[in-house]
C-alpha cells in the first residue's frame, strides 16, 4: 500500500470530486512522489497531475489542438479548485 501524504479525508475529497464530476483520475507513485493524475475524458491521456510537491501539466503547447486541450483541462480542474478553495477557507 502506498503511503500518501494526504489524509484519508483529503483522499476522499479528491475521489468524491472526481466521481461527482465524472473526471477520470488515477493515483500513481513516481519515484517517491505519490501523485493524482487527471485524464482526458475523450481519450484518457494524462493531462495534469498534482501532489504535495507541486503540479505538472501535460497539455501539448506546441500542437494545433492546444486550445481544445487547455479548454478541457480547465473544465476538469475547476471542480477541484472550487472545492479546495472552500476547504481552505473553512480551515
Amino acid at each position: 500500500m502506498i503511503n500518501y501524504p494526504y489524509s484519508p479525508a483529503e483522499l476522499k475529497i479528491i475521489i468524491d470530486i472526481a466521481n461527482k464530476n465524472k473526471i477520470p483520475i488515477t493515483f500513481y507513485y513516481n519515484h517517491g512522489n505519490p501523485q493524482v493524475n487527471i485524464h482526458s475524458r475523450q481519450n484518457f491521456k494524462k493531462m495534469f497531475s498534482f501532489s504535495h510537491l507541486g503540479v505538472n501539466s501535460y497539455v501539448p503547447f506546441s500542437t494545433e489542438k492546444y486550445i481544445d486541450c487547455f479548454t478541457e483541462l480547465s473544465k476538469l480542474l475547476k471542480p477541484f479548485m472550487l472545492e479546495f478553495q472552500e476547504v481552505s477557507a473553512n480551515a
Side-chain angles (χ1 to χ4, degrees), residues 39-86:
H39 300 270
S40 170
R41 287 182 179 134
Q42 298 168 6
N43 58 17
F44 203 69
K45 285 187 178 180
K46 183 166 55 170
M47 298 188 79
F48 191 82
S49 67
F50 62 90
S51 73
H52 66 290
L53 297 177
V55 299
N56 289 307
S57 174
Y58 300 96
V59 174
F61 290 105
S62 61
T63 67
E64 61 189 47
K65 294 186 177 188
Y66 166 73
I67 297 297
D68 293 338
C69 291
F70 191 75
T71 300
E72 181 182 6
L73 179 58
S74 297
K75 289 177 184 176
L76 294 171
L77 289 177
K78 186 175 181 179
F80 288 99
M81 296 300 108
L82 291 173
E83 183 70 26
F84 293 158
Q85 182 180 14
E86 185 178 314

Side-chain angles (χ1 to χ4, degrees), residues 25-44:
I25 63 169
T26 57
F27 296 95
Y28 181 70
Y29 198 73
N30 184 20
H31 304 289
N33 178 24
Q35 54 192 30
V36 179
N37 297 319
I38 298 175
H39 300 270
S40 170
R41 287 182 179 134
Q42 298 168 6
N43 58 17
F44 203 69

